[in-house]
């Protein structure tokens, strides 16, 4: 969910960043080749080492899984990736299977170094450890300094993602033709909003899947045992591992995407099909977020593929290539930098005073409790795979939560735990800012609320649903259509100053049945629709 889908401008006010320099945002040194490197489980690629033979420390801390209910396949993927890295490195690495990080670190007298970890809490932890040198973060296209310089250079102007993305393209010389963007346009998103293919089939072939090995077998046995002993509890199904756990697997998936799927990625990237959940998506976010791939190498590989195909007289559509590049070096990096830029309090923002808990059926991924075809289908995919693409996240799950007033902090935690690619840095800005408008519009200029008509246009769900996307009252009233109007009415005053919400709010005044719709939706609440 690194991109908003509908192409609306996502803006931030420069003045909303933390006023004082937080120690977690210091200018850390770049390298420390002489120390043993502690690699967190999301720092597993070669670019987190300063030399190929650098001694490594890996820590498998059970307490991380015991504290919260993660998706079973997420726990499997993380442990599998960590153990595969240990096996690859052999004697070069120490793998400690312990309860807490501190337990492992206490065993070391030698100096250790670590690349700045990806959450506020883990940065606090590493900064408080004596003898542990903290280095600059890796795994993103733009550095912290580059983002800070770019933001500072904009003064009090709004921090537009699109401007950040263009700046990064220029700085890294990606899809450029001299000083101009390749093809003459920076952004081809307008060509990437087509509804699903009419035949209900994916435009791309079946993706490449990894094969499990004995390490996965051991992980599965350990997770079964931990669960049986009551040490941990998971949500979601167990299942074959779908996402890369090694660098080799990650490179294979990247190659599969670039050669077989990238060319058809763009036009239908916002579409949803009940029976084709992968469509032409890259499925690379879990590998990038584990650190198995460097996003800059991903972007460079996409550009190299596009240029080679063009030279062979068989060019890839630029809207597909640019759309993918924008997701990786635009949205992914922008979300990363805004996580830090907005500071520690950002996760607590709740501008729309949304206070409902995540309902049990959603927390448990119980799609069988839900009649609404879109919500049930997406929840079922999530239960089965731990992954759905950005539009089901934003416009089905997030849209439902926004309309029903679910607490954004609880929702952020739920997204973090139940998606295989979910991490704190990914989900805070995406959920609090992009999806739930809980920051009052600091990140996205308007709430991502939509009625059933949007889902009907962009999916094949409505034809198989007991509800009707055109109905807002009565037994067939679509929970999204009715929920949309109830949401607007509930937040009428809070959204009144937002220019982009003027017309939708005016629409409220034309609804004679509005009081009945509001009453109906209040009665529905967050019971499974
Ligand atoms: Fe979803 Fe409403 Fe369409 Fe049913 S009718 S699939 S609830 S949008």
């Amino acid at each position: 969910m690194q991109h908003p889908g509908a192409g609306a401008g996502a803006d931030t006010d420069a003045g909303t960043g933390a006023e004082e320099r937080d120690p977690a945002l210091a200018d850390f040194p770049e390298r420390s080749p002489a120390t043993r490197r502690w690699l967190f489980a999301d720092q597993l690629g070669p670019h987190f080492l300063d030399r190929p033979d650098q001694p490594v420390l890996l820590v498998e801390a059970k307490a991380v899984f015991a504290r919260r209910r993660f998706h079973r396949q997420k726990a499997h993927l993380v442990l599998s990736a960590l153990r595969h890295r240990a096996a690859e490195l052999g004697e070069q690495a120490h793998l400690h299977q312990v309860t807490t990080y501190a337990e492992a670190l206490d065993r070391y007298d030698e100096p250790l170094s670590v690349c700045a970890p990806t959450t506020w809490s883990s940065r606090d932890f590493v900064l408080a450890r004596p003898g542990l040198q903290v280095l600059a973060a890796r795994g993103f296209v733009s550095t912290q300094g580059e983002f800070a310089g770019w933001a500072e250079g904009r003064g009090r102007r709004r921090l537009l993602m699109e401007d950040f993305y263009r700046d990064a393209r220029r700085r890294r010389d990606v899809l450029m033709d001299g000083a101009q963007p390749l093809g003459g346009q920076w952004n081809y998103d307008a060509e990437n909003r087509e509804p699903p293919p009419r035949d209900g089939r994916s435009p791309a072939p079946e993706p490449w899947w990894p094969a499990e090995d004995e390490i996965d077998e051991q992980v599965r046995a350990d997770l079964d045992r931990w669960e049986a002993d009551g040490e941990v509890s998971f949500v979601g199904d167990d299942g074959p591992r779908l996402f890369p756990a090694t660098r080799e697997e990650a490179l294979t998936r990247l190659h599969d995407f670039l050669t077989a799927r990238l060319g058809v990625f763009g036009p239908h990237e916002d579409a949803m099909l009940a029976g084709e959940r992968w469509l032409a998506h890259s499925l690379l976010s879990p590998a990038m977020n584990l650190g198995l791939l460097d996003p800059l190498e991903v972007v460079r590989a996409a550009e190299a593929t596009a240029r080679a195909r063009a030279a062979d007289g068989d060019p890839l559509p630029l809207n597909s290539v640019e759309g993918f590049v924008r997701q990786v070096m635009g949205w992914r990096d922008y979300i990363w930098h805004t996580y830090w830029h907005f500071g520690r309090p950002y996760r607590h923002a709740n501008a729309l005073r949304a206070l409902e808990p995540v309902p049990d059926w959603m927390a448990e991924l119980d799609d069988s409790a839900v009649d609404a075809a879109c919500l049930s289908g997406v929840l079922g995919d999530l239960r089965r795979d731990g992954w759905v693409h950005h539009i089901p996240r934003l416009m089905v799950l997030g849209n439902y939560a926004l309309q029903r007033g679910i607490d954004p902090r609880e929702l952020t935690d739920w997204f973090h735990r139940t998606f295989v690619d979910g991490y704190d840095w990914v989900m805070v800005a995406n959920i609090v800012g992009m999806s739930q408008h809980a920051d009052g519009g600091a990140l996205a200029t308007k709430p991502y609320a939509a009625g059933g008509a949007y889902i009907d246009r962009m999916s094949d769900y409505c034809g198989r649903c007991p509800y009707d996307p055109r109905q807002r009252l009565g037994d067939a009233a679509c929970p999204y259509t009715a929920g949309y109007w109830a949401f607007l009415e509930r937040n009428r005053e809070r959204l009144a100053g937002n220019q982009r919400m003027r017309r939708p709010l005016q629409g409220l005044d034309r609804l004679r049945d509005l009081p009945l719709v509001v009453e109906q939706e209040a009665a529905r609440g967050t019971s499974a629709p």
Side-chain angles (χ1 to χ4, degrees):
M1 183 166 158
Q2 281 84 21
H3 123 76
D11 321 327
T12 63
D13 282 318
T16 52
E19 295 296 321
E20 286 175 20
R21 185 76 154 169
D22 190 297
L25 303 179
D27 292 322
F28 301 115
E30 294 290 326
R31 292 166 58 82
S32 181
T35 51
R36 180 177 292 275
R37 177 65 41 80
W38 174 21
L39 300 176
F40 274 84
D42 57 357
Q43 300 176 331
L44 300 179
H47 51 294
F48 289 94
L49 297 181
D50 290 332
R51 55 188 174 91
D53 61 345
Q54 186 162 20
V56 165
L57 164 63
L58 295 161
V59 184
E60 187 182 300
K62 201 192 284 183
V64 173
F65 299 106
R67 272 197 298 267
R68 303 153 84 195
R69 286 185 80 206
F70 288 95
H71 197 293
R72 164 80 189 220
Q73 290 182 53
K74 179 179 185 134
H76 185 121
L77 179 64
V78 170
L79 290 187
S80 177
L82 197 74
R83 293 181 189 183
H84 274 97
R85 187 66 169 130
E88 267 166 24
L89 291 167
E91 290 184 358
Q92 189 182 333
H94 296 165
L95 170 65
H96 294 279
Q97 294 174 308
V98 288
T99 304
T100 64
Y101 291 134
E103 215 180 297
L105 297 176
D106 285 347
R107 296 175 186 175
Y108 286 82
D109 284 334
E110 64 178 300
L112 299 168
S113 60
V114 66
C115 296
T118 55
T119 66
W120 286 101
S121 58
S122 51
R123 282 206 185 174
D124 288 345
F125 176 79
V126 298
L127 287 166
R129 284 296 303 191
L132 179 59
Q133 185 183 20
V134 182
L135 305 174
R138 300 180 192 180
F140 297 89
V141 175
S142 306
T143 65
Q144 183 178 292
E146 285 169 340
F147 182 86
W150 171 79
E152 215 176 287
R154 299 187 59 76
R156 296 196 60 76
R157 283 179 294 158
R158 294 172 79 82
L159 298 187
L160 295 169
M161 192 293 289
E162 183 65 25
D163 290 349
F164 166 73
Y165 163 61
R166 293 179 188 188
D167 190 67
R169 286 236 331 246
R170 280 190 206 98
R171 204 177 322 112
R172 293 286 184 269
D173 192 24
V174 172
L175 295 183
M176 297 297 292
D177 191 359
Q180 297 304 314
L182 194 65
Q185 261 176 251
W186 287 101
N187 183 321
Y188 293 84
D189 204 32
E191 296 172 35
N192 288 352
R193 297 176 200 152
E194 287 186 20
R198 281 175 185 276
D199 64 2
R201 307 276 304 272
S202 170
E206 178 76 6
W208 168 87
W209 300 113
E212 290 197 3
D213 60 12
E214 64 282 359
I215 291 179
D216 290 294
E217 249 176 65
Q218 187 59 53
V219 167
R220 179 161 289 115
D222 287 348
L223 293 179
D224 284 345
R225 186 165 41 80
W226 295 356
E227 211 171 6
D229 291 348
E231 294 178 83
V232 298
S233 167
F234 297 114
V235 293
D237 296 350
D238 188 11
R241 177 168 59 76
L242 299 172
F243 297 94
T246 66
R247 171 127 176 110
E248 196 183 333
E249 287 179 349
L251 288 170
T252 304
R253 173 151 290 168
L254 173 61
H255 178 76
D256 174 62
F257 173 66
L258 296 179
T259 52
R261 308 165 65 73
L262 175 59
V264 288
F265 164 72
H268 303 289
E269 68 168 300
D270 285 358
M272 299 176 277
L273 280 173
E276 295 277 6
R277 56 200 187 280
W278 315 116
L279 290 163
H281 290 273
S282 74
L283 312 179
L284 286 167
S285 56
M288 276 192 280
N289 293 353
L290 284 168
L292 294 170
L293 294 172
D294 183 337
L296 188 56
E297 80 175 328
V298 170
V299 159
R300 295 255 187 253
E303 175 166 12
T305 303
R307 289 192 185 272
R309 289 279 296 265
D312 288 347
D314 180 23
L316 293 172
L318 198 47
N319 57 312
S320 285
V321 178
E322 187 280 321
F324 176 67
V325 165
R326 180 154 29 88
Q327 283 203 348
V328 176
M329 70 184 292
W331 272 105
R332 183 174 185 274
D333 256 43
Y334 180 77
I335 287 295
W336 160 252
H337 289 299
T338 50
Y339 174 78
W340 303 105
H341 177 79
F342 286 132
R344 295 173 190 267
Y346 189 72
R347 67 174 62 248
H348 303 289
N350 194 350
L352 300 182
R353 311 264 154 77
L355 300 172
E356 293 294 328
V358 173
D360 286 347
W361 54 267
M362 194 168 165
E364 298 298 327
L365 308 180
D366 185 4
D367 52 303
S368 67
V370 179
D371 293 329
C374 56
L375 187 53
S376 177
V378 169
L379 215 52
D381 289 348
L382 185 57
R383 171 179 53 72
R384 197 169 48 243
D385 305 325
W387 181 94
V388 294
H389 75 72
H390 61 277
I391 293 299
R393 296 186 200 201
L394 186 67
M395 302 311 292
V396 177
L397 298 171
N399 190 16
Y400 177 83
L402 177 67
Q403 292 182 359
R404 303 284 150 178
I406 292 176
D407 185 325
R409 200 167 164 214
E410 261 201 46
L411 188 73
T412 302
D413 179 62
W414 179 80
F415 267 93
H416 176 171
R417 290 182 292 104
T418 48
F419 281 84
V420 289
D421 56 3
Y423 291 84
D424 199 52
W425 70 266
V426 175
M427 291 307 182
V428 169
N430 262 311
I431 303 304
V432 171
M434 177 63 58
S435 168
Q436 299 301 296
H437 207 70
D439 61 0
L443 193 133
T445 49
K446 73 181 188 64
Y448 274 87
Y454 173 86
I455 295 172
D456 193 23
R457 186 168 67 251
M458 297 306 292
S459 80
D460 63 349
Y461 285 119
C462 296
R464 58 189 82 202
C465 184
Y467 300 112
D468 181 341
R470 293 160 303 184
Q471 302 293 324
R472 59 177 176 265
L473 257 188
D475 289 345
C478 165
Y480 285 91
T481 302
Y484 174 75
W485 293 115
F487 163 79
L488 286 184
E489 174 62 8
R490 189 171 72 247
N491 291 289
R492 192 194 275 258
E493 285 179 24
R494 293 189 186 104
L495 299 173
N498 185 323
Q499 279 305 304
R500 295 193 67 198
M501 295 306 292
R502 217 178 58 192
R503 283 183 62 185
L505 290 174
Q506 283 169 351
L508 278 174
D509 298 327
R510 289 193 288 274
L511 300 186
R512 294 225 180 118
D513 54 9
L514 184 61
L516 295 174
V517 173
V518 169
E519 197 180 319
Q520 167 188 277
E521 294 313 295
R524 265 181 175 170
T526 56
S527 57

